[in-house]
Amino acid sequence: MTTSLRSTLDFLLYDWLQAGSLTARARFADHSRETFDAVLDTCERIAREKYAPFNRTVDTQEPQFDGEKVILPQCTYDARKAFADSGMLSAAQDYEMGGMQLPYVVESAAGSFFACASISIGSNLLTTGNANAILVHGTPMQQQVFAANEFNGRWAGTMCLSEPQAGSSLSDITTRAEADGEGFEADPLGPRYRLRGNKMWISSGDHELTENIVHLVLAKIPGPDGKLVPGVKGISLFIVPKKLVDTEGNLTGERNDVALAGLNHKLGWRGTTNTLLNFGEGKYPVRGGAGAIGYLVGKPGEGLKCMFHMMNEARISIGMAATMLGLAGYYASLDYAKTRLQGRPVGNGGKDASAPQVRLIEHADVKRMLLAQKSYSEGALALNLYCAKLVDEGRTGDAEAAAQAKLLLEVLTPIAKSWPSEFCLEANSLAIQIHGGYGYTRDFPVEQYWRDNRLNMIHEGTHGIQAADLLGRKVVMQGGAGLQLLARTIEATLAKARQHPALAVYAGQLAQALQDVGEATQAAWATGNPGEALANAVPYMQAFGHVVLAWMWLDVACSVLAADATLSVAASAGRMGATRYFFHYELPKIGAWLAVVRTRDATCAGLAEDAF
Amino acid sequence: MTTSLRSTLDFLLYDWLQAGSLTARARFADHSRETFDAVLDTCERIAREKYAPFNRTVDTQEPQFDGEKVILPQCTYDARKAFADSGMLSAAQDYEMGGMQLPYVVESAAGSFFACASISIGSNLLTTGNANAILVHGTPMQQQVFAANEFNGRWAGTMCLSEPQAGSSLSDITTRAEADGEGFEADPLGPRYRLRGNKMWISSGDHELTENIVHLVLAKIPGPDGKLVPGVKGISLFIVPKKLVDTEGNLTGERNDVALAGLNHKLGWRGTTNTLLNFGEGKYPVRGGAGAIGYLVGKPGEGLKCMFHMMNEARISIGMAATMLGLAGYYASLDYAKTRLQGRPVGNGGKDASAPQVRLIEHADVKRMLLAQKSYSEGALALNLYCAKLVDEGRTGDAEAAAQAKLLLEVLTPIAKSWPSEFCLEANSLAIQIHGGYGYTRDFPVEQYWRDNRLNMIHEGTHGIQAADLLGRKVVMQGGAGLQLLARTIEATLAKARQHPALAVYAGQLAQALQDVGEATQAAWATGNPGEALANAVPYMQAFGHVVLAWMWLDVACSVLAADATLSVAASAGRMGATRYFFHYELPKIGAWLAVVRTRDATCAGLAEDAF
């Protein structure tokens, strides 16, 4: 499995994205292809040894709560330790923070080995994302005490947004944060508050994997009237450690009032503890007051903005998770199809029942299901790495390039999250299908990939939320600047593609599709009524995503055709095949999706409730 | 839940399919709307009391094998008893067979309550199908001893086709059947053979729910050289009882040599035992010989033909199962959407965060996901009941009508099986999506529906097998007579629809789609090369299925508009909304699917193995 993944990553990173050129930048000057490869090698090995063999274990030995502590299988501890010891938690950080100043695109590529081997045994992305948010919005002391101890592996991090009554609708959270007495503002760890409320769907919300857990919590500071401010403007962000610490990062021995109320029992992704947490309910009274102790991060009322830094990272990571589950299923079903004997090919010889059976991969329909998976999953991987490269560009490019990279990333983020979560799930279903009856038994891994992947259209912002973000905000903000930038970027690919006879027709097809999306965007907003424009936001996002993926494949194909002879002939044939597949089988699907957007179809929105 | 299902069934049965008119036929002369309703009432009640409350129980308390016996939860025994006591096992049979000569369409409708309440707690369709196959192909003695005791509930039945090395490829089975010594042909229960071989994926292959189990087994009788005849022509059909019986149907006290080798542990549909059975391996030696004792059914070499009778029934039943899982998810997510508060509608007022949250169903995107589910699931139910009515027509219509009904059913069977298994699975995914995070917890039923439904694209003939059957056989047999008959039948609906201004545009759209399918069929076969024609058989089947479903909805809409004022206004609005949804959102998808069929696209089939 990892052989294929490694060669795919090598191609995408070096031949396609030219990640090697990043070493010319000051931040990455100590790096080289060799140091990048060493990171990839290490991650590949840890994933193979500590993650892959235990993927089914963490599915069947779900986290248990004994009333005091969360019980996890030993393999989860071992995987966590190996990961933390590798230094990957801080790989992209500054040297001063203990990091290795690795480009984010290389970190992402390296991280894909873990996601492919076992998506749910580790939840390290939350720790990194948490620490990154503190780096950006926290005080130097908060950075040093909390972020640094997450990056070095001592502590883990969470993000606590949702509540039982407020999932997608964060403006409705009711967790309260009240100033913790006299002098609350002078605490060296930050203005000190007491938090009370319940948080739902908190991944890794409690466990014994690390000495401490740093919760980043959204809560509302009541106004002078004691009431919570409605809407997102009332939301602030707090660091709430499970165990209190001093300014040196030592545990003070005091347990904070953060109590595990229960574990969610899930369809998939079972290795990662998912919790309902009670803040300040009194189970662990602390320092003689009521409420969990938390330290304000950033300014009051700007909590959601601060947290979005973390959420955008998390969304791209979810896209990568979905992608790697898709690839894992592809590899598993490819292996199976290459060995399992069943039936005979259609046509000549197919009717000679005395001929030996052939392998599954010799059937056209099995090849179709394999190529669809390859096209979905490797395409999604290309998109995710492309987005990761934009992060690097936004951090290290010149001012204009950085601004453009950030804008493009804004537009692409909902696609990077939503598209893999929908189509790599479909890939997993095809992986099951190739296995026949064996596919739906728990003796083969593919059913678990499919279950694990089903969470990705929901967590970190549902499909509906992503679609509203895309059509309601990203393509219209700044007068449509993001959409125009995307179009110009795609047109650069079209110009390259038109120079290859094999790709010219696809360039024409994509140009038309891009125009169709642009026109549909206009038509959706023609009446200026958000209710009409957004009624079909999800079909819009599906079409938009397919256009983005077609662009990815066309750009990849340009690199294949432009490359020197060092590329594997077979791998190049596979990439060209996946490109053809996407343009022949997938891109034509946008017509049906865009039709309802263009007409602002009100069939669904207009149907009376009692008609359902 | 069942209130909605019952009203939907009433509409489809009586207002749309005019099932009441069947009582004018001699076979159903004792029946009336009242007797039909009584059957529906009974099944609705049993499903509500004995099935629905235990659907999660049978998922979590999987069948266990203690080395001797299969252990099932008590609720499975209770459900089985209630079902058998209701007489539904033989409802459609002749009075002489203990049946009530119920029309098959009414039996199907009544059976839908069970499938909706818990698909996996019962597996009675196999018993009925088994007994029906014996009725058609068995001797009077076999009918009396085996079929009658299945219909009356004493015994259960199975179908044993697949083997570990022969799933889709039945011609490769290696189970051997050899004449059981002198006078083997004179056994009153049928020519007696000894069977040896392994059978895989046998649903309800072993259990203690009934006194005995009647296995219908495909096996090969060796030729004079002792070798098995290659291909399907060598296959014969045998009755192999778990326990031997005499000609009066009494157990003789002898255990036949059919041994449970193991249980398959599945992704879903877990309540139904799924087994690997060893025939004649010597665990239960019987009557001093080697091999399990079996009795030939029909003629040697015609086993697959005989079994196909049962498989076609099973395929339609699987379509109905997929449909009812789809509907179950629709009802669950509709209930949830009507009560769960989350967020505010887009547009005016949506930005007023101090306004109270609204229910999910007030969001356009949630309505879209609900209407999609309704359109998929109720449309699939219409198709399945339409097919069931064709069975009645084939049995009781005049010669020409019967012949036409049988031909049409042949063409529709792969759609009735495949379409619900694909699109009602998608419906279940939407039901999860509406639930948000709760949808992927095991506290809500929708994740189980989705898991249960995933089996339906595989068992009783995979999607690939159905597609090859459709494009490779059904639409070309008899010079395309089946496809032409379907076209004429659809045209009758078009003629009705054109008389309603609200439907005329849909009639035009469907007429065009029908023409597109016809042209794609021609183009697929233009070179006469099955390898080229069938390379895209699955996309063809997806398009074909969408055309059939569009036809169903258009025909339903005609009935809605033609009906008198007795129909519920709200329900009619719902059916018209689902029709509009299907024509606006779904039917346009066929363009992408048919394009690759029409061009005999070789992108997948032509890709070299090493390129994957």
Side-chain angles (χ1 to χ4, degrees):
Chain A
M1 171 200 85
T2 47
T3 307
S4 291
L5 175 56
R6 180 58 181 270
S7 60
T8 298
L9 289 172
D10 283 347
F11 167 79
L12 291 174
L13 272 183
Y14 301 122
D15 297 292
W16 180 54
L17 288 175
Q18 303 287 326
S21 68
L22 288 169
T23 59
R25 298 194 178 168
R27 179 174 178 80
F28 310 124
D30 293 345
H31 281 288
S32 62
R33 167 88 187 236
E34 284 67 36
T35 63
F36 294 167
D37 282 349
V39 170
L40 294 174
D41 289 345
T42 300
C43 292
E44 184 175 0
R45 180 182 51 75
I46 296 173
R48 187 178 58 243
E49 293 175 357
K50 301 294 184 185
Y51 280 59
F54 307 104
N55 190 44
R56 182 62 77 170
T57 306
V58 297
D59 184 63
T60 53
Q61 295 180 32
E62 276 187 297
Q64 302 289 327
F65 180 40
D66 69 2
E68 265 315 306
K69 289 192 164 73
V70 172
I71 299 160
L72 295 171
Q74 182 59 39
C75 60
T76 303
Y77 288 83
D78 298 342
R80 157 83 198 179
K81 181 171 190 311
F83 185 86
D85 289 352
S86 74
M88 285 305 292
L89 279 163
S90 61
Q93 300 305 319
D94 296 352
Y95 294 134
E96 298 80 63
M97 192 45 72
M100 48 178 116
Q101 294 192 183
L102 196 67
Y104 184 64
V105 67
V106 179
E107 186 194 38
S108 289
S112 72
F113 288 109
F114 303 107
C116 191
S118 179
I119 194 63
S120 78
I121 201 172
S123 56
N124 305 302
L125 73 97
L126 290 166
T127 296
T128 307
N130 174 306
N132 275 331
I134 294 173
L135 273 195
V136 175
H137 303 286
T139 64
M141 176 68 83
Q142 288 173 336
Q143 295 174 24
Q144 188 183 318
V145 172
F146 297 106
N149 280 310
E150 295 186 73
F151 284 132
N152 68 22
R154 272 181 75 200
W155 302 342
T158 74
M159 51 194 286
C160 302
L161 290 78
S162 295
E163 300 180 1
Q165 83 295 347
S168 293
S169 182
L170 287 173
S171 64
D172 291 289
I173 65 168
T174 59
T175 296
R176 300 172 70 92
E178 295 181 272
D180 187 26
E182 290 283 318
F184 76 96
E185 286 176 302
D187 194 304
L189 293 176
R192 197 180 58 246
Y193 286 76
R194 291 281 187 163
L195 278 75
R196 274 178 288 183
N198 310 310
K199 291 290 179 180
M200 186 65 165
W201 310 118
I202 311 308
S203 289
S204 299
D206 202 7
H207 55 73
E208 308 295 320
L209 292 167
T210 49
E211 179 190 77
N212 202 1
I213 300 174
V214 179
H215 301 290
L216 270 179
V217 183
L218 292 183
K220 289 186 172 183
I221 302 171
D225 59 356
K227 290 186 182 163
L228 300 183
V229 180
V232 298
K233 287 177 187 150
I235 300 177
S236 304
L237 182 65
F238 300 87
I239 292 171
V240 184
K242 175 180 173 181
K243 299 172 182 172
L244 296 184
V245 302
D246 64 21
T247 55
E248 306 295 309
N250 301 308
L251 301 191
T252 64
E254 299 159 293
R255 167 84 192 234
N256 202 357
D257 196 6
V258 184
L260 176 59
L263 300 179
N264 290 310
H265 296 288
K266 293 172 291 180
L267 164 67
W269 205 299
R270 292 186 181 173
T272 300
T273 313
N274 190 281
T275 62
L276 172 60
L277 294 179
N278 290 345
F279 287 83
E281 67 158 7
K283 181 166 181 182
Y284 303 105
V286 59
R287 293 188 187 167
I293 290 175
Y295 307 98
L296 182 69
V297 179
K299 294 183 185 153
E302 296 192 356
L304 203 57
K305 205 179 79 183
C306 298
M307 190 62 111
F308 253 98
H309 186 93
M310 183 171 180
M311 269 170 66
N312 277 332
E313 270 189 42
R315 286 177 176 176
I316 295 173
S317 298
I318 293 301
M320 185 63 112
T323 298
M324 299 318 296
L325 284 166
L327 267 178
Y330 171 56
Y331 295 139
S333 59
L334 180 58
D335 276 354
Y336 189 76
K338 282 181 171 177
T339 53
R340 166 78 173 172
L341 298 174
Q342 196 69 191
R344 289 161 193 82
V346 164
N348 296 344
K351 297 200 169 165
D352 179 5
S354 63
Q357 295 201 67
V358 300
R359 293 165 309 133
L360 283 176
I361 200 171
E362 298 178 57
H363 295 288
D365 190 52
V366 173
K367 282 189 166 179
R368 182 186 62 82
M369 294 190 280
L370 288 170
L371 193 52
Q373 289 180 71
K374 180 181 174 76
S375 175
Y376 293 154
S377 306
E378 293 187 2
L381 181 58
L383 173 61
N384 275 279
L385 292 176
Y386 185 90
C387 288
K389 179 105 183 296
L390 289 178
V391 172
D392 288 317
E393 201 62 39
R395 286 176 186 165
T396 65
D398 64 42
E400 195 192 327
Q404 295 221 336
K406 286 175 182 170
L407 180 59
L408 192 54
L409 186 59
E410 285 281 300
V411 177
L412 290 177
T413 295
I415 301 300
K417 196 272 180 186
S418 69
W419 198 92
S421 71
E422 178 171 358
F423 292 95
C424 293
L425 177 69
E426 177 59 25
N428 289 151
S429 187
L430 293 172
I432 292 175
Q433 193 69 20
I434 287 174
H435 281 74
Y438 295 96
Y440 61 70
T441 69
R442 279 125 61 196
D443 300 325
F444 286 79
V446 286
E447 63 87 26
Q448 186 186 342
Y449 298 144
W450 185 67
R451 286 187 288 108
D452 286 350
N453 220 345
R454 185 60 189 82
L455 276 66
N456 289 321
M457 271 199 286
I458 295 174
H459 57 190
E460 313 306 348
T462 65
H463 238 43
I465 294 290
Q466 303 302 323
D469 181 44
L470 178 67
L471 182 54
R473 208 168 74 83
K474 298 295 176 63
V475 300
V476 292
M477 66 185 185
Q478 301 171 37
L483 186 55
Q484 289 152 23
L485 173 59
L486 175 64
R488 286 198 305 278
T489 313
I490 293 178
E491 276 155 13
T493 299
L494 296 178
K496 282 191 291 182
R498 287 195 185 100
Q499 295 171 17
H500 298 289
L503 301 180
V505 63
Y506 300 146
Q509 196 184 340
L510 180 55
Q512 181 62 53
L514 185 60
Q515 190 178 326
D516 292 346
V517 166
E519 287 172 6
T521 312
Q522 296 290 329
W525 283 105
T527 59
N529 179 337
E532 291 182 15
L534 299 179
N536 294 293
V538 167
Y540 176 83
M541 180 171 71
Q542 291 169 315
F544 197 105
H546 260 50
V547 169
V548 167
L549 266 287
W551 162 46
M552 287 290 117
W553 274 117
L554 192 61
D555 207 71
V556 163
C558 288
S559 287
V560 168
L561 295 182
D564 57 35
T566 60
L567 291 182
S568 146
V569 172
S572 291
R575 289 175 191 123
M576 295 306 293
T579 304
R580 283 196 301 276
Y581 173 85
F582 206 87
F583 278 86
H584 293 205
Y585 287 74
E586 295 296 329
L587 190 55
K589 291 180 180 172
I590 70 169
W593 287 320
L594 289 180
V596 293
V597 178
R598 210 165 37 232
T599 57
R600 299 183 299 283
D601 195 303
T603 300
C604 305
L607 194 64
E609 183 178 327
D610 64 358
F612 283 95
Chain B
M1 169 199 86
T2 47
T3 308
S4 290
L5 175 55
R6 179 58 180 272
S7 60
T8 299
L9 288 172
D10 283 348
F11 167 79
L12 291 174
L13 272 183
Y14 301 123
D15 296 292
W16 179 54
L17 288 174
Q18 303 288 325
S21 69
L22 288 169
T23 59
R25 298 194 178 170
R27 180 175 177 80
F28 310 124
D30 292 346
H31 281 288
S32 63
R33 167 88 187 237
E34 285 65 38
T35 63
F36 293 167
D37 282 350
V39 169
L40 294 173
D41 290 344
T42 301
C43 292
E44 185 175 359
R45 180 182 52 75
I46 297 174
R48 185 175 62 241
E49 295 175 356
K50 302 293 184 185
Y51 280 59
F54 307 104
N55 190 44
R56 183 62 77 171
T57 307
V58 296
D59 184 63
T60 53
Q61 295 180 30
E62 275 186 297
Q64 302 289 327
F65 180 40
D66 70 2
E68 265 315 304
K69 290 191 162 73
V70 173
I71 299 160
L72 295 170
Q74 182 59 40
C75 60
T76 304
Y77 288 84
D78 298 342
R80 157 82 198 179
K81 181 171 189 312
F83 185 86
D85 289 352
S86 74
M88 284 306 290
L89 279 163
S90 60
Q93 299 306 318
D94 296 352
Y95 294 133
E96 298 81 62
M97 192 46 73
M100 50 179 113
Q101 294 192 183
L102 197 66
Y104 183 64
V105 67
V106 179
E107 186 194 37
S108 289
S112 72
F113 288 108
F114 303 106
C116 191
S118 179
I119 195 60
S120 78
I121 200 173
S123 56
N124 304 302
L125 73 95
L126 289 167
T127 296
T128 307
N130 173 307
N132 275 330
I134 294 173
L135 273 194
V136 174
H137 302 289
T139 64
M141 175 68 82
Q142 288 173 335
Q143 295 175 23
Q144 187 183 320
V145 172
F146 297 105
N149 280 309
E150 295 186 73
F151 284 132
N152 68 22
R154 274 181 72 201
W155 302 343
T158 74
M159 51 194 286
C160 302
L161 289 79
S162 295
E163 301 181 1
Q165 82 295 345
S168 293
S169 182
L170 287 174
S171 63
D172 291 289
I173 65 168
T174 59
T175 296
R176 299 171 71 92
E178 295 181 271
D180 187 26
E182 290 284 316
F184 76 96
E185 286 177 299
D187 196 305
L189 292 175
R192 197 178 62 246
Y193 286 78
R194 291 282 187 163
L195 278 74
R196 274 179 289 181
N198 310 311
K199 291 290 178 180
M200 186 65 164
W201 311 117
I202 311 308
S203 289
S204 299
D206 202 7
H207 55 74
E208 307 294 321
L209 294 167
T210 49
E211 179 190 78
N212 201 2
I213 300 174
V214 180
H215 301 290
L216 270 179
V217 183
L218 292 183
K220 289 186 172 183
I221 302 170
D225 59 355
K227 290 185 181 162
L228 300 182
V229 180
V232 298
K233 287 178 187 150
I235 301 177
S236 303
L237 181 65
F238 300 87
I239 293 170
V240 184
K242 175 179 173 183
K243 298 172 183 172
L244 296 185
V245 302
D246 65 20
T247 55
E248 304 295 310
N250 301 306
L251 302 191
T252 64
E254 299 158 291
R255 168 84 193 235
N256 201 357
D257 195 5
V258 183
L260 177 58
L263 300 178
N264 290 311
H265 296 288
K266 291 172 293 179
L267 164 67
W269 205 298
R270 293 186 181 173
T272 300
T273 313
N274 189 282
T275 61
L276 171 59
L277 294 180
N278 290 344
F279 288 82
E281 68 159 6
K283 181 167 182 184
Y284 303 104
V286 57
R287 293 190 188 167
I293 290 175
Y295 307 98
L296 182 70
V297 178
K299 293 183 187 155
E302 296 193 352
L304 203 58
K305 206 179 79 184
C306 297
M307 190 62 111
F308 253 97
H309 186 93
M310 183 171 180
M311 271 170 66
N312 276 332
E313 270 188 42
R315 285 176 176 178
I316 295 172
S317 298
I318 292 301
M320 185 62 113
T323 298
M324 299 318 296
L325 284 165
L327 267 177
Y330 171 56
Y331 295 138
S333 60
L334 179 58
D335 277 354
Y336 189 76
K338 283 182 171 176
T339 53
R340 166 79 174 170
L341 298 173
Q342 195 69 192
R344 289 160 194 82
V346 165
N348 296 345
K351 296 200 169 165
D352 179 6
S354 64
Q357 295 201 67
V358 301
R359 293 165 308 132
L360 282 177
I361 199 170
E362 297 178 60
H363 295 288
D365 190 51
V366 173
K367 282 188 167 178
R368 182 187 61 81
M369 292 191 280
L370 287 170
L371 193 52
Q373 289 180 71
K374 181 181 174 75
S375 174
Y376 293 154
S377 305
E378 292 187 2
L381 181 58
L383 173 61
N384 275 278
L385 292 176
Y386 184 90
C387 287
K389 178 104 184 296
L390 290 178
V391 172
D392 288 318
E393 201 61 40
R395 285 176 186 163
T396 65
D398 63 41
E400 195 191 326
Q404 295 220 336
K406 286 175 182 171
L407 180 59
L408 193 54
L409 185 59
E410 286 280 299
V411 177
L412 290 177
T413 296
I415 301 301
K417 196 271 180 185
S418 69
W419 198 91
S421 69
E422 178 171 359
F423 292 95
C424 293
L425 177 69
E426 177 60 24
N428 288 152
S429 188
L430 294 172
I432 292 175
Q433 193 70 20
I434 287 175
H435 282 72
Y438 296 95
Y440 61 70
T441 69
R442 277 125 62 197
D443 300 325
F444 286 80
V446 286
E447 63 88 26
Q448 185 185 343
Y449 298 144
W450 185 66
R451 286 188 288 109
D452 286 349
N453 221 345
R454 185 60 188 82
L455 276 67
N456 289 322
M457 271 199 285
I458 295 174
H459 57 189
E460 314 307 346
T462 65
H463 238 42
I465 294 290
Q466 303 302 323
D469 181 43
L470 178 67
L471 182 53
R473 207 167 75 81
K474 297 296 176 61
V475 300
V476 292
M477 66 186 186
Q478 301 171 37
L483 186 55
Q484 290 152 23
L485 172 60
L486 175 64
R488 286 198 306 277
T489 313
I490 293 179
E491 275 155 15
T493 299
L494 297 179
K496 281 191 291 182
R498 288 195 186 100
Q499 296 173 14
H500 300 288
L503 301 180
V505 62
Y506 299 145
Q509 196 183 341
L510 181 57
Q512 180 63 52
L514 186 60
Q515 190 178 327
D516 293 346
V517 166
E519 287 171 6
T521 312
Q522 296 288 329
W525 283 105
T527 61
N529 179 338
E532 292 183 14
L534 300 180
N536 294 294
V538 167
Y540 176 83
M541 181 171 71
Q542 290 168 316
F544 197 105
H546 260 49
V547 168
V548 167
L549 267 286
W551 162 46
M552 287 291 116
W553 273 116
L554 192 62
D555 207 71
V556 163
C558 288
S559 287
V560 168
L561 295 183
D564 57 36
T566 60
L567 291 182
S568 145
V569 173
S572 292
R575 289 176 191 122
M576 295 306 291
T579 304
R580 283 197 300 277
Y581 173 85
F582 207 87
F583 278 86
H584 293 205
Y585 287 73
E586 295 296 329
L587 190 55
K589 292 180 179 172
I590 68 169
W593 286 320
L594 290 180
V596 293
V597 177
R598 211 164 37 231
T599 57
R600 297 184 298 282
D601 195 303
T603 301
C604 305
L607 193 64
E609 184 179 326
D610 65 358
F612 283 95

